[in-house]
Amino acid sequence: MNETELTQAVSTRISHDLIGNIGAVSNAVELFEEGDMDFLSDIKSILKVSSEVLSSRLKFFRMAFGLDNSNLEDMAIVRQTTDNYLKTIGNRNTPIELDFHLSSAGMGRLSMLSIMSLSDCLIKGGRIEVGDDNGRLLTIADTQSVSAEKLNWLQAIAEGQIPDNKAFYAPMLYLKHLVEQQHRQIRVLTQEGLALLIE
């Protein structure tokens, strides 16, 4: 997979993850312009929720996929940005909780992409734990419900295969690309749940 194809996959994935809430904002504005005040409370709710989701996702995507910036060196910002992103894909009944133990500033982007890749496999929420030790990054998904198909593709990508749905797996594809640039390797571990190990 060349860099152009990777860029296309990332752009498509980001657009897909934003378009739904952009559409909701557009619909709310249309209702507001029609002037029917019976829907005012609904309009406010739609705008509030959608703007929070868009803001959280855009901040996350900017750090995970964008150019290097000082925020990636601040582990408190990386943690908060990632936690806010996970709240946009979980729900009240099945949230995705984050247990963040990262000490190396150089692991910020890799941890975000690892967390995003694992969260894509979760069906009913769970907990994701990330930590580093001696240059190794371990990200573990603690959940009772994982998509077998998505898990299989994570393993296949780690081994060098390219999925048909490149856009959906853009986080893992980009993560593998970065790891290879650093002359490191990534492994998918399934012995006790689901984990990504970068070493």
Side-chain angles (χ1 to χ4, degrees):
M1 188 173 189
N2 61 44
E3 291 191 0
T4 298
E5 291 174 318
L6 182 57
T7 301
Q8 291 171 336
V10 169
S11 298
T12 302
R13 173 60 191 265
I14 290 173
S15 299
H16 176 273
D17 286 5
L18 297 176
I19 195 64
N21 283 279
I22 291 173
V25 169
S26 178
N27 291 338
V29 170
E30 283 182 20
L31 285 172
F32 184 73
E33 287 177 339
E34 289 173 2
D36 190 340
M37 292 300 102
D38 291 340
F39 293 105
L40 187 58
S41 62
D42 293 331
I43 292 169
K44 286 181 180 179
S45 177
I46 291 170
L47 290 174
K48 182 176 186 301
V49 171
S50 295
S51 64
E52 288 175 354
V53 169
L54 288 170
S55 177
S56 295
R57 290 188 180 182
L58 280 169
K59 287 176 182 176
F60 179 87
F61 294 153
R62 167 69 180 87
M63 290 175 64
F65 296 105
L67 297 174
D68 287 338
N69 64 76
S70 59
N71 286 339
L72 285 168
E73 304 299 313
D74 187 326
M75 292 302 98
I77 293 176
V78 171
R79 182 195 188 290
Q80 189 61 60
T81 302
T82 305
D83 193 39
N84 289 343
Y85 167 76
L86 291 175
K87 288 175 182 173
T88 72
I89 60 175
N91 61 56
R92 271 182 221 166
N93 296 325
T94 57
I96 299 175
E97 299 174 358
L98 179 63
D99 195 356
F100 192 91
H101 304 285
L102 211 60
S103 58
S104 173
M107 297 286 193
R109 188 190 307 274
L110 298 181
S111 70
M112 297 176 89
L113 291 167
S114 295
I115 290 166
M116 187 177 182
S117 297
L118 291 187
S119 70
D120 283 342
C121 296
L122 306 187
I123 297 173
K124 294 183 178 178
R127 182 174 61 90
I128 295 179
E129 179 180 356
V130 62
D132 62 316
D133 180 45
N134 293 324
R136 302 171 64 196
L137 178 70
L138 181 63
T139 310
I140 303 168
D142 179 13
T143 181
Q144 298 299 315
S145 185
V146 176
S147 166
E149 179 185 1
K150 293 172 183 175
L151 170 58
N152 288 338
W153 269 117
L154 285 195
Q155 291 176 307
I157 292 168
E159 294 167 2
Q161 296 182 45
I162 306 297
D164 293 331
N165 187 355
K166 298 179 189 74
F168 180 83
Y169 295 101
M172 184 64 177
L173 290 166
Y174 186 47
L175 177 62
K176 181 170 172 56
H177 174 75
L178 294 178
V179 168
E180 288 177 344
Q181 281 189 327
Q182 297 176 9
H183 306 290
R184 304 169 77 183
Q185 65 175 350
I186 182 169
R187 289 192 290 146
V188 178
L189 310 176
T190 58
Q191 290 89 344
E192 296 181 9
L194 171 58
L196 292 179
L197 174 64
I198 296 172
E199 55 186 353

